[in-house]
Each structure stands twice: as structure tokens, then as C-alpha cells.
Amino acid sequence: MRPDEFLRALHLLPAPLHAHALPLRRYVHRTTCADCQRIGDAVTLALTAAKYDELDSAGELLDTAEQLATVHGTACRPQPDEQRGRGRVGRWAAASAPVVAATDASWKGRAGGIAYVVSDGHYGLRGRGTGRLDPTGASRVLINELRAVDFLLSAYEEAPAGMTVLLDSTVALRWLRRWQVGEVSAMPAGYSLRQRRWADRPTLVRLADQVSRRPDLSFAHVKGHSGHALNEAADGLSHVARRRVEETFDVGPRAHALVGAFLHDWHAALPH
């Protein structure tokens, strides 16, 4: 259950059940902990029961969830959902043209967003807040530009051979090219190499290793805000992802329509 779905369901509850369910919100997320999952399932079932006016059942389920939470203690850290925020415009799945992708990042205040769009219809967007290991200033922006490239490559079991990846950040482009020629130990200033609790390696360490093993991938510069269809699409998605960190709205239809429109322009402009 997404956070916005939980909040909508929560608002439908009578005041006593609302107060009962709110502290259990932290358990309604994807996790590898079986206990947290049982608590979250009980809360979700309670909200479903309340939706159909089965308030007694909802109360019993919340009691069960609360008892399980008391035994278990603090909710465990959420597990990242690698598929969340990704989609595909199926119309372009069989396109025969070379595969071209664009990535971008957006940052304002303490909220950021990363995104990618691919000529074969794949796209993704993900919002993020400031992490305790994140640097500040220009390094923060650079690191998120590179995270967007990792987000793109992780969309595939193996990225298409010969794919071209377009970036509007020349600094990020230089780092990718350094890694591609084997300088994988070099990292941007301020990037922490401390062990992450949610991944076996830091994102950019993983990206550097992957890029070094893919000499067939091309990384190229595209001028931002110049009307390039793929870059404009990635830019738009990254802004949507950033706004979604602080606002509540349905991302899916908006993202799909945006990507569909820009991919139509991209393919229409290709020589036939």
C-alpha cells in the first residue's frame, strides 16, 4: 500500500479507529521482516474492512496488529522496491531504431528526484529526501545525476548492447567516462563509501563497476532545455518525482502520459 493510499483509507476511519491505526502506519511497507509483514497485513485488512463498513472486524484486526507490534517492537527498515516508479509505453517496444536513453535529476531544498526515459518505451522516476550520508551543494546534484544513470541501468537484467545514454551534466559525463576506462576507485567529492544497511555496495560503487564492464555503452552530452524530446521527458519526470516527495498526487497516469507524448515526438522525428 502506497503512503497516499494509506492516508486516503485512514481518513475514512471513525476517530477511535483512526487514532488506533495511525501509530501502526510505519509497518505498512515492503520489508524482509516476516513479523513486520504480518503487522502490516493486519493493518491493511483492517482498512479494507472499514471501507466496507465492517468496523467491528476492523477494530479486531487493529487490536491484533497492535499486540503483534508490542511484541515485535520498532518497525524494521523498509526494503527498496526496485520496480516501484518504473513503467513502459508498450507502443515502442518493437521499435527497430537504435536504443537511446536520457537521464536527469532535480533538486530543491531537501527534496530531489531522479528519472530516465528510453526510446524503447521504458521509463522510471524516483523521489528522495536528503540522506544523512549525502553531501551538500554541487556534489549533491552531481551524485543524483549519477544515481539516475544507475536507476536506468538497473531497469534491465542487461542494458541493451550499444545503448546511448544522454546527460545534460558534463561533470557527470566525465565521471562515467573515467569509470568506463577503468578508474573505478575514483568517486565524486563528498560521496561516502560507508556500508549501506539496505544494499551490498554504495550506488556509485556499483555503477562504476557496471560501467567499466560495458565499453559498448555510449555516454553523450545533450544541452538541457533545448527541446530534445528524451531529455525534456527525463527532466519532466525528475521534477514530478521531486514534487511527489512533498505533495500527494497520483504519479502513474501523469508520468505515463508525459513519456508517451515525448516518445511520440522522438520517433516521429527519426528518419524513415
Side-chain angles (χ1 to χ4, degrees):
M1 177 177 284
R2 299 195 312 264
D4 57 314
E5 292 174 329
F6 180 88
L7 290 174
R8 283 199 297 269
L10 197 64
H11 290 322
L12 298 176
L13 297 179
L17 291 183
H18 184 285
H20 204 170
L22 187 60
L24 297 167
R25 174 182 178 179
R26 65 179 71 96
Y27 294 95
V28 185
H29 57 221
R30 179 185 171 92
T31 176
T32 57
C33 174
D35 291 331
C36 285
Q37 187 66 56
R38 281 191 287 271
I39 298 166
D41 288 345
V43 175
T44 302
L45 286 171
L47 295 175
T48 303
K51 179 180 178 181
Y52 293 100
D53 294 324
E54 298 288 342
L55 299 183
D56 289 342
S57 296
E60 291 172 3
L61 286 162
L62 289 174
D63 285 340
T64 298
E66 189 173 55
Q67 291 165 10
L68 291 171
T70 299
V71 173
H72 177 59
T74 305
C76 300
R77 187 180 184 87
Q79 179 185 19
D81 184 350
E82 290 302 321
Q83 295 309 310
R84 186 172 179 180
R86 301 186 193 271
R88 190 172 195 185
V89 179
R91 177 180 179 183
W92 310 113
S96 59
V99 179
V100 181
T103 63
D104 206 0
S106 173
W107 201 275
K108 184 177 182 180
R110 298 181 63 83
I114 60 174
Y116 65 85
V117 177
V118 192
S119 60
D120 65 3
H122 281 98
Y123 66 88
L125 66 162
R126 179 172 293 168
R128 57 176 289 119
T130 303
R132 63 186 179 85
L133 299 180
D134 285 346
T136 58
S139 287
R140 176 186 294 169
V141 176
L142 167 62
I143 287 167
N144 280 283
E145 292 281 358
L146 293 167
R147 281 177 173 145
V149 178
D150 175 78
F151 189 31
L152 161 68
L153 297 183
S154 65
Y156 300 90
E157 275 194 29
E158 185 171 355
M163 179 169 69
T164 298
V165 182
L166 304 174
L167 299 90
D168 58 17
S169 167
T170 56
V171 181
L173 187 61
R174 286 198 294 270
W175 278 100
L176 290 163
R177 288 174 173 169
R178 286 184 67 178
W179 292 335
Q180 199 166 33
V181 298
E183 296 182 42
V184 294
S185 62
M187 287 288 143
Y191 187 67
S192 173
L193 297 178
R194 289 177 59 182
Q195 179 65 43
R196 275 41 167 185
R197 287 183 293 173
W198 56 91
D200 58 341
R201 292 184 294 174
T203 299
L204 298 195
V205 172
R206 180 178 65 240
L207 175 62
D209 179 61
Q210 184 173 8
V211 167
S212 72
R213 292 183 283 105
R214 292 298 304 270
D216 61 297
L217 297 179
S218 297
F219 297 101
H221 180 251
V222 60
K223 185 178 179 181
H225 308 292
S226 62
H228 188 285
L230 297 183
N231 173 259
E232 295 290 350
D235 176 74
L237 287 185
S238 69
H239 280 78
V240 169
R242 173 178 56 77
R243 287 180 49 217
R244 185 62 181 78
V245 173
E246 299 178 328
E247 302 175 31
T248 299
F249 57 88
D250 193 352
V251 171
R254 188 174 306 192
H256 198 81
L258 184 152
V259 172
F262 278 111
L263 282 180
H264 177 272
D265 291 347
W266 167 261
H267 286 277
L270 293 176
H272 297 286

